Amino acid sequence: MTETAHQDRPVLGIALMSGFCVLAPLGDSLAKILGPIVPLAVLLLVRFAFQAIILTPLAWKARKGISSRVWGFAALRTLLHIGGISCMFTALVYLPLADAIAIAFVMPFLMLLMGWLFLGEEVGPRRLAACAVGFAGTLLVLQPAFAEVGPPALLPLGVAVFFASFMLVTRMIAREIGAIPLQAMNGWMALVCLIPVAFWAGEWPRVDASAIALLTAMGILGTFAHLLMTWSLRFAPSATLAPMQYIEIPVATAFGFLIFGDLPGPQAALGIGLICAAGLYVIWREHKVARALTTPSAAPP
């Protein structure tokens, strides 16, 4: 399909992004169930194995020459991806699902600031103020969680730092390689890193059939969720889809209640509301500025 055809189907793009917002927290819910019984190295190994196996056939069709520069940044991206998922899976052992995901949603604000610091992207005072509000909301969620579980409550901040850096690196090579080949490369590179770690740790649990089924579902859901996100960008612009990602927070809250019986307290709920409001404002400002830049100026008299 042509790029124009992709842009002409925003409803399909929104539907695909909505699917991501449902499948991603569902996969995290499975990781939370498995966390106490399956070592982290094994969880990561399964997650990236499914990513490599599922995406390689799709990436093979779009294969082309890849520069050494892309290989280097892809390796860095893989390490950041491993770090981000490791922090999230570990955080889910200690924190309610909604709290962990809400704290990690400080990532868009970090990306805005990192783009400003490292890529020279323009960030106005209104968006900086929105970042401050978003960080304040994060602190409101973080404070009761830290009081309850201690330092592990900081792990979602690590998720945000790793994935903000992950997205920054992705932005640097996005025009040189397709999303699916890049994700397939990530899967195989991660396996090269994780297989020796898993064998060295010697933590191979004896799991029953139900745990194997959950591991399989987790790997498939994690991979398919990111495929939905990638495909959604083919059919709708990112400005249309970005607000949809905040659906992930109420969906995570619903899964947390239905599966684990967890609900955010009043302070955490207020913080989640501030994070969503600030994030949506940043997206709105980005969209408004982009429209202003692309709107032709009036002809001189």
Side-chain angles (χ1 to χ4, degrees), residues 31-261:
K32 182 174 177 61
I33 294 171
L34 290 164
I37 58 175
V38 178
L40 177 62
V42 177
L43 285 177
L44 293 172
L45 193 62
V46 170
R47 168 64 181 81
F48 283 103
F50 275 96
Q51 178 173 319
I53 293 169
I54 293 173
L55 295 184
T56 295
L58 297 174
W60 186 257
K61 296 179 181 180
R63 67 190 184 278
K64 62 178 183 179
I66 301 174
S67 67
S68 57
R69 174 180 179 276
V70 171
W71 279 102
F73 277 110
L76 174 59
R77 186 178 183 271
T78 299
L79 295 176
L80 293 170
H81 200 178
I82 293 172
I85 294 182
S86 298
C87 287
M88 177 56 82
F89 284 1
T90 306
L92 290 172
V93 174
Y94 299 95
L95 295 175
L97 181 66
D99 288 9
I101 290 179
I103 295 170
F105 256 85
V106 76
M107 182 190 72
F109 311 119
L110 291 179
M111 286 179 59
L112 196 69
L113 296 177
M114 292 172 73
W116 174 47
L117 291 172
F118 300 116
L119 299 181
E121 297 175 349
E122 184 177 352
V123 178
R126 294 181 182 180
R127 280 176 282 181
L128 288 175
C131 286
V133 173
F135 281 117
T138 302
L139 291 176
L140 286 174
V141 181
L142 185 60
Q143 191 275 328
F146 190 87
E148 183 174 348
V149 303
L154 300 175
L155 286 168
L157 295 179
V159 176
V161 171
F162 275 117
F163 276 108
S165 303
F166 172 89
M167 296 300 294
L168 193 69
V169 171
T170 301
R171 192 181 301 178
M172 296 171 69
I173 58 175
R175 296 184 179 181
E176 301 175 54
I177 183 172
I180 291 178
L182 184 57
Q183 287 292 90
M185 288 173 61
N186 266 168
W188 289 111
M189 288 180 173
L191 289 182
V192 170
C193 297
L194 292 170
I195 288 175
V197 172
F199 277 98
W200 175 77
E203 297 178 337
W204 292 93
R206 294 180 179 178
V207 294
D208 56 19
S210 61
I212 293 174
L214 290 176
L215 283 167
T216 302
M218 183 198 72
I220 293 174
L221 284 173
T223 301
F224 192 55
H226 283 87
L227 270 180
L228 290 180
M229 177 188 284
T230 301
W231 286 333
S232 71
L233 293 168
R234 294 185 179 187
F235 299 103
S238 57
T240 300
L241 297 175
M244 300 297 300
Q245 295 182 40
Y246 282 87
I247 295 176
E248 191 175 345
I249 295 179
V251 170
T253 303
F255 281 136
F257 176 69
L258 293 173
I259 299 174
F260 307 104

